[in-house]
């Protein structure tokens, strides 16, 4: 019951600061594990919280605020992955826009999140909705389109530098 209360608190938790670019911090309970028998009250309950941070708080601040909001023993798996963004005025973004790409905020993570201080785009081939699924795949034609797209991006970027 303590876990249920804490899960509800996390479900309804709102951070005071909101990122102008990235919006609200997202909190999602992704795993819950408790009990070993149907007729025995569990002596523990463990749950995993997926948190998509923004630039409004450091990861350490998010951990501290959430630990203060719940009764359970909350331990971060890692605080290494950080929210990241690149200015729309950066030549890399301008080159991508010039070749027909539309800037957007990705709700998913990538290696971009650990490339702090480096200008980078998250851009790839295939359908994002197929990512991280049991039958994840990319079509050969999508890879071919991606090669051509990257060549166009590099040519456009070289024209700007």
């Amino acid at each position: 019951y303590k876990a249920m209360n804490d899960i509800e608190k996390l479900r309804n938790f709102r951070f005071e600061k909101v990122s102008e670019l990235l919006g609200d911090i997202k909190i999602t309970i992704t795993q819950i594990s408790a009990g070993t028998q149907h007729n025995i009250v569990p002596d523990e309950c463990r749950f995993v919280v997926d948190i998509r941070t923004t630039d409004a708080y450091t990861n350490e601040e998010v951990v501290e605020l959430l630990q203060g909001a719940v009764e359970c023993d909350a331990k971060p798996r890692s605080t290494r992955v950080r929210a990241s963004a690149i200015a729309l005025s950066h030549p890399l973004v301008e080159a991508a826009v010039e070749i027909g790409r539309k800037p957007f905020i990705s709700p998913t993570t990538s290696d971009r999140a650990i490339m702090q201080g480096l200008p980078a785009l998250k851009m790839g081939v295939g359908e994002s909705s197929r990512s991280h699924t049991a039958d994840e795949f990319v079509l050969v034609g999508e890879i071919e389109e991606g090669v051509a797209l990257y060549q166009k991006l590099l040519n456009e970027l070289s024209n700007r530098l």
Side-chain angles (χ1 to χ4, degrees):
Y1 294 113
K2 284 183 181 181
M4 289 171 45
N5 288 336
D6 280 349
I7 289 170
E8 188 65 20
K9 286 177 189 174
L10 292 170
R11 180 178 180 216
N12 295 312
F13 192 91
R14 298 295 175 262
F15 290 88
E16 186 176 313
K17 295 188 282 186
V18 176
S19 169
E20 286 186 31
L21 179 64
L22 302 173
D24 289 318
I25 292 175
K26 307 286 188 293
I27 301 173
T28 307
I29 309 302
T30 56
Q31 295 176 307
I32 302 173
S33 176
T36 57
Q37 296 286 329
H38 74 280
N39 61 344
I40 299 173
V41 176
D43 61 342
E44 75 173 17
C45 178
R46 295 178 179 267
F47 57 95
V48 175
V49 184
D50 182 77
I51 303 169
R52 302 298 167 115
T53 58
T54 69
D55 55 348
Y57 294 89
T58 67
N59 289 352
E60 293 76 15
E61 289 172 325
V62 169
V63 169
E64 185 178 333
L65 288 167
L66 293 178
Q67 284 176 331
V70 296
E71 290 183 51
C72 66
D73 183 19
K75 296 178 189 171
R77 186 174 300 191
S78 170
T79 56
R80 179 177 67 99
V81 176
R82 308 228 176 235
S84 60
I86 184 172
L88 293 176
S89 61
H90 191 280
L92 189 54
V93 177
E94 289 177 342
V97 169
E98 184 63 31
I99 66 166
R101 307 310 290 179
K102 184 179 176 186
F104 67 97
I105 304 298
S106 174
T108 61
T109 192
S110 70
D111 289 343
R112 168 70 181 100
I114 56 175
M115 298 169 67
Q116 297 301 312
L118 297 174
L121 293 178
K122 180 178 177 186
M123 187 173 90
V125 300
E127 295 293 326
S128 186
S129 61
R130 295 191 307 240
S131 298
H132 308 292
T133 61
D135 60 349
E136 178 178 16
F137 64 93
V138 177
L139 300 172
V140 171
E142 292 170 333
I143 295 171
E144 292 168 346
E145 289 172 11
V147 169
L149 180 68
Y150 292 133
Q151 287 173 335
K152 282 175 65 176
L153 177 65
L154 291 173
N155 287 335
E156 181 60 36
L157 184 59
S158 69
N159 291 337
R160 294 173 176 276
L161 300 177

